[in-house]
């Protein structure tokens, strides 16, 4: 038996990252090879003496390019910020991961400034989807999903403002988690929307996401105890979010419902007007454009030519939103959150497809601005409401026999532990 299992796994991962035939160069923008070797050796030493720091000790992690790492600029997938001053300390979640013994192997690629569901990056390249390299990985945590799916790491850390963990998880066939936002500190993470941002993991299993979330949230890590499926109350979110599913997603979602019903889960319809009321509240603009404009205001016009043009257009749309519009939206949100929460109270969780379609090809998404924005809007359709309503949610791979598709399980605000237990049970049922 080897005395250095963590180091050996690290070297294998570094080899995969460096393989010119793989996606490592596009998925991982910065590789911390020497630092990771030191961390892996330290984890092996603790293991030999029975002094492990916890369940993440020695595990290989990547972090999204928008988290501060001391001594380097925080690019956030952009050319502009690549020349910014170096961070003076690690982001809060990076400090927590290091304290738990995690081996941080790389910073992963992302949509510039975290503002797209497709994962396309014109500055650093677009990592190809592991299921079909010609397809988009999803975004904005694109490199995170590819790294997790391709075995470049054990677990990736992303952010989720409208689906940026769950969409790439769905497209790439991994598990992606969006927590109750307040549970994980965002200090040292470049914001897209201070109102909607959250920090979550992507991995191949629910258990790895649960353990990682606990560390990120400053809780005691423990593997989730699967919920009993018999009697589990699941609401199926009936309405426009189930319209126009592509064949792969539609068939997989129908099969998943049948499998859960057979296992004893109680599925019933959830019909709500709150999603249309959310759209009405955002008629003059949403939180993300105006809050992103605030974040990037110092260089937004002066450096226009250095932006991804499509990201610039989305942020520029905020100029039409007035202060009154923003305050109205901010005041409407708590009312709608309370109303939907009351409707969800009769269920243990709510289910729907994570995305209404499988990943489009990069060529399709890049064909024109019109095509890009249509694909982007469709990609966000089933996930963005979770952030607006301040819920927690997870995307699990559904069996499809082809391209990946995700089952989204949505829990109430603060019900993260319960949601992980439900997801662990559903994961087992889907894999059976």
């Amino acid at each position: 038996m080897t005395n250095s299992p963590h180091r050996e796994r690290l070297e294998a991962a570094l080899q995969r990252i460096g393989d010119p035939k793989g996606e490592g160069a596009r998925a991982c923008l910065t590789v911390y090879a020497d630092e990771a070797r030191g961390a892996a050796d330290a984890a092996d030493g603790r293991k030999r003496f029975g002094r492990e720091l916890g369940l993440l000790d020695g595990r290989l992690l990547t972090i999204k390019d928008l988290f501060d790492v001391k001594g380097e600029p925080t690019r956030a997938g952009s050319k502009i910020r690549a020349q910014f001053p170096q961070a003076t300390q690690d982001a809060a979640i990076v400090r927590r991961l290091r304290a738990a013994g995690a081996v941080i192997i790389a910073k992963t690629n992302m949509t510039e400034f975290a503002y797209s569901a497709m994962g396309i990056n014109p500055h650093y390249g677009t990592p190809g989807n592991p299921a079909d390299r010609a397809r988009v990985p999803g975004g904005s945590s694109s490199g995170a999903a590819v790294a997790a799916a391709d075995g470049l790491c054990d677990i990736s850390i992303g952010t989720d403002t409208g689906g940026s963990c769950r969409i790439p998880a769905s497209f790439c066939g991994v598990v992606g988690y969006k927590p109750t936002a307040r549970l994980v500190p965002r200090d040292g993470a470049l914001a897209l929307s201070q109102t909607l941002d959250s920090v979550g993991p992507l991995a191949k299993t629910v258990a790895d996401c649960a353990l990682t979330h606990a560390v990120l949230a400053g809780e005691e890590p423990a593997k989730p105890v699967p919920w009993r499926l018999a009697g589990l109350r699941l609401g199926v979110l009936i309405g426009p979010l189930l319209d126009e599913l592509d064949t792969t997603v539609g068939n997989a979602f129908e099969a998943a419902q049948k499998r859960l019903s057979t296992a004893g889960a109680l599925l019933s319809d959830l019909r709500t007007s709150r999603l249309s009321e959310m759209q009405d509240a955002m008629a003059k603009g949403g939180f993300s454009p105006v809050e992103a404009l605030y974040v990037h205001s110092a260089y937004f016009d002066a450096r226009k030519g250095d932006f991804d043009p499509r990201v610039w257009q989305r942020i520029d749309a905020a100029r039409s939103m007035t202060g009154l519009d923003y305050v109205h939206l901010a005041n409407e949100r708590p009312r709608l959150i309370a109303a939907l929460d009351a409707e969800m109270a009769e269920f243990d969780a709510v289910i729907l497809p994570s995305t209404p379609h499988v990943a489009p090809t990069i060529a399709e998404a890049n064909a024109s601005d019109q095509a890009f924005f249509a694909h982007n809007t469709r990609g966000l359709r089933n996930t963005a409401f979770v952030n607006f309503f301040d819920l927690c949610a997870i995307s699990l791979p559904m069996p499809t026999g082809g391209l990946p598709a995700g089952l989204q399980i949505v829990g109430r605000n603060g019900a993260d532990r319960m949601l992980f237990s439900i997801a662990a049970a559903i994961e087992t049922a889907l894999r059976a």
Side-chain angles (χ1 to χ4, degrees):
M1 180 180 290
T2 178
N3 287 323
S4 304
H6 298 312
R7 177 63 181 269
E8 290 187 5
R9 292 175 57 256
L10 170 64
E11 294 298 339
L14 289 171
Q15 189 171 14
R16 286 190 288 272
I17 291 173
D19 183 355
K21 296 179 181 178
E23 293 298 302
R26 282 179 287 272
C28 299
L29 299 186
T30 302
V31 180
Y32 303 108
D34 291 339
E35 186 176 352
R37 288 184 176 111
D41 289 345
D44 281 326
R46 290 190 294 270
K47 185 177 181 64
R48 282 192 291 271
F49 290 98
R51 299 292 181 87
E52 292 97 335
L53 297 176
L55 294 172
L56 280 193
D57 202 354
R59 302 299 297 280
L60 308 180
L61 272 77
T62 63
I63 58 173
K64 194 173 180 177
D65 194 43
L66 53 62
F67 292 108
D68 286 350
V69 170
K70 183 178 180 180
E72 61 184 61
T74 304
R75 285 168 301 210
S78 74
K79 291 197 306 184
I80 295 169
R81 294 185 65 95
Q83 306 303 320
F84 268 41
Q86 299 176 350
T88 58
Q89 65 175 352
D90 290 342
I93 63 106
V94 175
R95 297 196 300 271
R96 288 183 175 182
L97 291 170
R98 293 195 201 281
V103 177
I104 297 176
I105 190 171
K107 262 190 176 179
T108 51
N109 201 351
M110 56 181 286
T111 305
E112 182 186 68
F113 299 134
Y115 210 5
S116 155
M118 294 293 99
I120 291 171
N121 188 306
H123 309 306
Y124 301 105
T126 299
N129 189 307
D132 177 355
R133 299 302 185 188
R135 295 180 182 271
V136 302
S140 62
S141 305
S142 54
V146 173
D150 275 347
L152 308 183
C153 62
D154 298 319
I155 301 155
S156 296
I157 308 299
T159 59
D160 191 310
T161 305
S164 287
C165 285
R166 292 160 288 150
I167 295 165
S170 178
F171 283 173
C172 293
V174 296
V175 180
Y177 193 67
K178 182 263 177 232
T180 300
R182 68 176 183 277
L183 297 182
V184 181
R186 293 173 290 177
D187 311 55
L190 184 70
L192 168 57
S193 166
Q194 63 185 29
T195 299
L196 304 177
D197 289 349
S198 56
V199 177
L202 299 90
K204 289 186 176 179
T205 67
V206 170
D208 275 349
C209 283
L211 294 173
T212 307
H213 167 72
V215 170
L216 299 179
E219 301 169 355
E220 185 65 30
K223 291 185 178 181
V225 177
W227 200 273
R228 188 168 180 265
L229 285 179
L232 177 67
R233 302 170 303 165
L234 294 175
V236 181
L237 191 55
I238 301 299
L241 300 192
L242 294 187
D243 290 345
E244 299 178 355
L245 303 178
D246 74 15
T247 302
T248 299
V249 174
N251 289 343
F253 184 57
E254 183 177 351
Q257 292 178 79
K258 288 180 179 177
R259 188 168 293 191
L260 293 172
S261 292
T262 300
L266 306 176
L267 276 64
S268 55
D269 294 350
L270 169 58
R271 300 178 186 274
T272 180
S273 64
R274 307 308 172 189
L275 273 63
S276 62
E277 292 176 48
M278 174 190 76
Q279 295 295 338
D280 291 343
M282 296 195 302
K284 300 292 182 65
F287 289 109
S288 292
V290 68
E291 291 177 354
L293 182 59
Y294 172 79
V295 170
H296 304 294
S297 58
Y299 46 81
F300 187 70
D301 289 315
R303 301 291 299 272
K304 177 181 178 181
D306 292 324
F307 272 81
D308 175 341
R310 291 163 178 163
V311 171
W312 193 91
Q313 288 180 58
R314 294 190 74 197
I315 298 174
D316 186 57
R319 297 191 206 263
S320 64
M321 190 177 192
T322 68
L324 288 176
D325 297 333
Y326 181 82
V327 172
H328 170 73
L329 177 62
N331 286 341
E332 277 289 276
R333 185 178 181 234
R335 179 185 70 80
L336 292 174
I337 286 173
L340 182 61
D341 181 71
E343 293 173 350
M344 289 179 64
E346 65 180 276
F347 303 101
D348 298 313
V350 172
I351 59 171
L352 70 159
S354 304
T355 56
H357 57 94
V358 298
T361 66
I362 296 172
E364 288 169 344
N366 261 341
S368 65
D369 282 357
Q370 182 179 8
F372 174 84
F373 288 120
H375 281 294
N376 193 65
T377 298
R378 188 162 165 76
L380 288 161
R381 188 191 79 176
N382 285 20
T383 54
F385 80 94
V386 171
N387 302 73
F388 182 91
F389 286 96
D390 201 15
L391 305 168
C392 56
I394 193 166
S395 179
L396 306 183
M398 294 187 290
T400 65
L403 293 170
L407 174 69
Q408 184 176 201
I409 312 167
V410 183
R412 297 170 71 188
N413 180 287
D416 296 66
R417 286 181 180 270
M418 178 178 175
L419 183 59
F420 277 125
S421 292
I422 292 170
I426 292 177
E427 176 183 52
T428 299
L430 295 181
R431 289 180 172 180

